[in-house]
């Protein structure tokens, strides 16, 4: 009897030590998205159930070998209905716990794209993801940004009101101040122009040499090297390659497809993985919870350049994300 008590106490003590070691590690690992948080939470819950069961089973096995390993003759076991009922009920309870815990996670729209549960607030940004040997391409449509700033801007078909002529050079008419608008890709509804150079569309530049310091207006001209503030962009399109940018604490829907053959979009730190199939679009939804940069892989062998088909996910604050959208949109206008 004393040996049994000691064996049980040692088993419980070992389980407690193991759980104490696991808990800080799980707490320190953190989660980069709601998707990873749900998956890690399920793994932790199942681990906490599996460890005591494993220790109990292994403890009984070790005790049995130690106690009866030297027996010369095996003795038949006796029926014990209480024991049979106990382990049957215990197994049913464990399986019920595993089933309920798994269903709650797999039923989450952040984990299962086919989930019937709806996102609270809906997706705030949809990003098209195209796998193509051997790069990842991303498209943001219907981009709207208010109060954005950008530097070194080049634009075509832009209208400028109330600007001042600073100088006339071989490159064009140097201007400062005023307001700008354009409708090249989406609409630059308004922007406070800080400076810039009108490079085309203003006619003969020499006619402005005698108007330095005066306010003028331009219609459908090209501008380079400009800086703008308080820009308002609506219905724009932004594209990027191998780097996808997401806003923190916002629902993101990724519509993933391929332009040639099989690829797989995989961001382990965020718990994201989805096949990219030609002619089909597979969606995954997530909400980034930590700013930072995370590694993106292709998880489906796709040819000789597969190992180099890498990218990154950059999670930014909402203000930094809007600034990136604006700067990227302006960079594509020249």
């Amino acid at each position: 009897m004393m040996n049994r008590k000691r064996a049980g106490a040692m088993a419980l003590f070992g389980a407690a030590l193991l759980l104490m070691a696991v808990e800080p590690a799980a707490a320190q690992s953190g989660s980069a998205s709601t998707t990873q948080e749900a998956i890690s939470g399920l793994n932790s819950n199942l681990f906490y159930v599996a460890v005591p069961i494993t220790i109990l089973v292994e403890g009984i096995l070790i005790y049995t070998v130690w106690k009866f390993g030297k027996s010369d003759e095996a003795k038949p076991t006796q029926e014990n209905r209480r024991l049979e009922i106990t382990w049957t009920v215990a197994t049913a309870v464990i399986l019920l716990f595993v089933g309920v815990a798994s269903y709650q996670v797999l039923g989450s729209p952040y984990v299962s794209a086919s989930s019937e549960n709806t996102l609270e607030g809906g997706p705030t940004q949809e990003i098209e993801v195209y796998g193509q040997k051997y790069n990842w391409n991303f498209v943001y449509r219907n981009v709207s940004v208010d109060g954005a700033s950008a530097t070194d801007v080049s634009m075509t078909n832009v209208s400028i009101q109330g600007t001042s002529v600073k100088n006339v050079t071989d490159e064009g008419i140097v201007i400062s101040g005023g307001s700008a608008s354009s409708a090249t890709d989406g609409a630059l509804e308004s922007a406070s122009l800080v400076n810039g150079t009108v490079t085309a569309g203003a006619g003969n530049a020499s006619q402005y040499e005698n108007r330095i310091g005066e306010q003028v207006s331009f219609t459908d001209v090209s501008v380079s090297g400009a800086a703008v503030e308080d820009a308002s962009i609506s219905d724009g399109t932004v594209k990027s390659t191998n780097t996808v940018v997401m806003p923190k604490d916002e629902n993101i829907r990724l519509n993933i497809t391929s332009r040639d053959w099989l690829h797989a979009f995989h961001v382990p730190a965020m718990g994201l993985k989805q096949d990219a199939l030609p002619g089909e679009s597979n969606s995954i939804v997530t909400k980034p919870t930590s700013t930072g940069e995370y590694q993106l892989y292709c998880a489906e062998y796709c040819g000789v350049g597969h190992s180099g088909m890498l990218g990154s996910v950059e999670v930014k604050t909402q203000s930094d994300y809007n600034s990136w959208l604006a700067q990227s949109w302006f960079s594509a206008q020249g």
Side-chain angles (χ1 to χ4, degrees), residues 165-174 205-206 208-210 212:
V165 178
K166 292 184 64 178
N167 196 6
V168 177
T169 68
D170 292 338
E171 295 180 355
I173 306 164
V174 182
S206 62
Y208 292 93
E209 290 180 349
N210 297 325
I212 294 175

Side-chain angles (χ1 to χ4, degrees), residues 181-309:
S181 60
S182 173
T184 303
D185 171 27
L188 175 62
E189 295 182 345
S190 64
S192 297
L193 184 65
V194 178
N195 55 42
T197 302
V198 175
T199 56
N204 185 4
S206 62
Q207 63 180 307
Y208 292 93
E209 290 180 349
N210 297 325
R211 304 187 63 181
I212 294 175
E214 295 183 13
Q215 285 193 346
V216 298
S217 297
F218 299 98
T219 302
D220 296 333
V221 296
S222 297
V223 178
S224 65
V228 296
E229 296 177 347
D230 297 325
S232 178
I233 302 169
S234 66
D235 197 27
T237 299
V238 171
K239 299 180 180 180
S240 64
T241 299
N242 291 333
T243 298
V244 56
V245 181
M246 302 180 184
K248 179 176 176 286
D249 295 330
E250 297 290 343
N251 291 326
I252 306 295
R253 182 183 297 277
L254 300 172
N255 299 315
I256 302 170
T257 188
S258 170
R259 286 176 171 160
D260 39 43
W261 50 47
L262 296 180
H263 301 282
F265 182 89
H266 185 33
V267 187
M270 300 182 72
L272 303 178
K273 188 174 187 293
Q274 185 60 273
D275 290 335
L277 307 176
E280 297 184 18
S281 180
N282 294 323
S283 297
I284 51 177
V285 178
T286 191
K287 179 189 288 187
T289 55
S290 299
T291 58
E293 185 173 349
Y294 307 98
Q295 185 68 62
L296 162 64
Y297 301 88
C298 176
E300 187 78 34
Y301 181 71
C302 55
V304 295
H306 167 71
S307 61
M309 192 169 173

Side-chain angles (χ1 to χ4, degrees), residues 29-306:
S29 62
S31 296
S33 69
T34 51
T35 306
Q36 178 63 19
E37 182 180 354
I39 296 172
S40 297
L42 175 61
N43 288 339
S44 296
N45 290 335
L46 297 182
F47 183 81
Y48 293 152
V49 173
V51 167
I53 295 174
T54 301
I55 292 176
L56 176 62
V57 172
E58 293 300 323
I60 294 174
L61 178 61
I62 293 171
Y63 171 77
T64 302
V65 171
W66 172 74
K67 182 70 173 178
F68 304 105
K70 296 182 180 180
S71 298
D72 295 332
E73 184 179 353
K75 297 180 180 180
T77 58
Q78 297 180 355
E79 181 181 6
N80 189 325
R81 292 188 177 181
R82 289 185 178 180
L83 181 60
E84 292 178 1
I85 292 173
T86 298
W87 75 47
T88 301
V89 171
T91 302
V93 170
I94 293 170
L95 292 178
L96 181 62
F97 170 80
V98 172
V100 171
S102 300
Y103 178 79
Q104 290 177 341
V105 172
L106 295 177
S108 168
Y110 293 114
V111 176
S112 176
S114 59
S115 172
E116 295 181 357
N117 296 330
T118 58
L119 288 169
E120 184 177 351
T124 58
Q125 178 69 66
E126 293 199 15
I127 304 174
E128 299 173 13
V129 181
Y130 296 93
Q132 183 175 6
K133 56 176 187 178
Y134 297 100
N135 292 293
W136 292 104
N137 300 294
F138 309 97
V139 179
Y140 307 71
R141 301 193 189 276
N142 303 316
V143 171
S144 295
V145 180
D146 292 322
S149 300
T151 57
D152 196 22
V153 171
S154 295
M155 295 181 289
T156 58
N157 300 325
V158 61
S159 297
I160 304 171
Q161 303 295 326
T163 187
S164 297
V165 178
K166 292 184 64 178
N167 196 6
V168 177
T169 68
D170 292 338
E171 295 180 355
I173 306 164
V174 182
I175 57 177
S176 65
S179 61
S181 60
S182 173
T184 303
D185 171 27
L188 175 62
E189 295 182 345
S190 64
S192 297
L193 184 65
V194 178
N195 55 42
T197 302
V198 175
T199 56
N204 185 4
S206 62
Q207 63 180 307
Y208 292 93
E209 290 180 349
N210 297 325
R211 304 187 63 181
I212 294 175
E214 295 183 13
Q215 285 193 346
V216 298
S217 297
F218 299 98
T219 302
D220 296 333
V221 296
S222 297
V223 178
S224 65
V228 296
E229 296 177 347
D230 297 325
S232 178
I233 302 169
S234 66
D235 197 27
T237 299
V238 171
K239 299 180 180 180
S240 64
T241 299
N242 291 333
T243 298
V244 56
V245 181
M246 302 180 184
K248 179 176 176 286
D249 295 330
E250 297 290 343
N251 291 326
I252 306 295
R253 182 183 297 277
L254 300 172
N255 299 315
I256 302 170
T257 188
S258 170
R259 286 176 171 160
D260 39 43
W261 50 47
L262 296 180
H263 301 282
F265 182 89
H266 185 33
V267 187
M270 300 182 72
L272 303 178
K273 188 174 187 293
Q274 185 60 273
D275 290 335
L277 307 176
E280 297 184 18
S281 180
N282 294 323
S283 297
I284 51 177
V285 178
T286 191
K287 179 189 288 187
T289 55
S290 299
T291 58
E293 185 173 349
Y294 307 98
Q295 185 68 62
L296 162 64
Y297 301 88
C298 176
E300 187 78 34
Y301 181 71
C302 55
V304 295
H306 167 71

